[in-house]
Amino acid sequence: MSSQSSGSKWVAGLLVVAIAVVVGIFVYREKMARDKAEAPAFAGASSSAPAHAGTAQNAALPQHPIGPASGSTAALPSLDQSDDAVLAGLMALTSDDALKSLLKPQAIVSRMVSTIDALPKHTIGMNVVPLRTPTGRFQVQSDDGMFVESKKNYARYDTYMYVADRVNPAAAASWYKRNYPLFQDAYRDLGTGGYFNDRLIEVIDHLLAAPEPKGTLQLIPAKEGYVYANPDYEQLSVGQKFMIRVGPANEAKLKAKLRALREAIVAGAPAVSSTSAN
């Protein structure tokens, strides 16, 4: 597990915040490793992970088409010019600086899409993560002669959980539908040729299927820190590993938030038509 460092109520929540906090805050080569060198700066879609072969993403028609957006009809900026508008929207909908202290302000949507797409995989590039990583070092402790994760680690996620807890799923889904073209453009830049909302729903379902272990999990020393002694846990995706790594209470909260987000996103979706995913 990498040890690399990375309030008031919200007026409303945004999907970009919810997904980042709920499923993207941890993907900084979370392998219980010691300090490592920083990865190169994010260079856009060309440096992202290669396209995956999911059925929904390669289908000619979207499985979960986005319904009509409500609210402003103002034209959206182009993806490469969207950071200021996205950041301004995020800050305008928050009443404190909790999110601002976590968010990387460059290539926000592209980083978000790349991170979400990578969560069901076994590795993810540090350079695509949209939020700053938790500070402090990963800690282990001895339990009957075995290494186990220290509960002190859970406190490293307090700020992220604080933000996630205040996300309004309905408002998040509304903002997401309004700004969906930006997410789709970023997803197309990955070279998948698919429909981003299908991938998003697939990833949420994948995270909801994360195991909920009872008791502590044994760790064993490895080249870059520690790994799970149980191969069933060590082979999990980066997303599912995080879900169990934040602790049982936080995992339960995150799953409840993800279920609410999923419901809000698919609510009011139109029937699948002949509209192309691209």
Side-chain angles (χ1 to χ4, degrees), residues 56-234:
Q57 285 67 42
N58 293 329
L61 301 178
Q63 305 301 302
H64 300 282
I66 288 291
S70 57
S72 173
T73 58
L76 295 176
S78 61
L79 177 62
D80 61 356
Q81 298 294 320
S82 65
D83 283 339
D84 288 346
V86 170
L87 185 60
L90 290 172
M91 295 304 103
L93 291 171
T94 62
S95 53
D96 60 33
D97 290 335
L99 173 64
K100 188 175 182 179
S101 69
L102 304 178
L103 187 67
K104 294 179 181 178
Q106 300 85 24
I108 299 172
V109 173
S110 293
R111 287 179 186 271
M112 198 71 58
V113 168
S114 295
T115 296
I116 293 169
D117 181 61
L119 292 175
K121 303 175 183 179
H122 294 289
T123 61
I124 183 172
M126 172 73 182
N127 60 333
V128 305
V129 180
L131 300 185
R132 304 184 194 285
T133 58
T135 57
R137 297 177 63 87
F138 176 77
Q139 300 182 55
V140 299
Q141 64 187 40
S142 178
D143 183 7
D144 291 332
M146 302 185 304
F147 288 118
V148 297
E149 179 178 0
S150 171
K151 292 182 173 59
K152 293 179 181 179
N153 290 313
Y154 302 160
R156 300 171 68 211
Y157 302 106
D158 284 351
T159 302
Y160 304 89
M161 293 301 301
Y162 171 89
V163 176
D165 188 53
R166 283 154 180 77
V167 171
N168 179 310
S174 178
W175 185 90
Y176 171 61
K177 292 175 183 179
R178 165 75 182 90
N179 290 273
Y180 184 74
L182 296 177
F183 289 87
Q184 182 59 39
D185 284 349
Y187 192 56
R188 184 182 297 113
D189 286 347
L190 292 182
T192 62
Y195 193 69
F196 176 68
N197 198 53
D198 288 346
R199 181 60 169 168
L200 176 60
I201 297 300
E202 179 184 11
V203 171
I204 290 176
D205 289 344
H206 175 77
L207 295 172
L208 291 174
E212 299 175 10
K214 307 300 181 184
T216 57
L217 298 176
Q218 182 183 359
L219 305 173
I220 56 177
K223 182 178 180 180
E224 294 183 348
Y226 299 86
V227 297
Y228 289 116
N230 186 331
D232 289 340
Y233 287 98
E234 185 55 31

Side-chain angles (χ1 to χ4, degrees), residues 2-23:
S2 174
S3 57
Q4 196 172 4
S5 291
S6 44
S8 338
K9 282 190 174 182
W10 287 36
V11 176
L14 306 177
L15 182 77
V16 67
V17 181
I19 296 300
V21 173
V22 172
V23 302

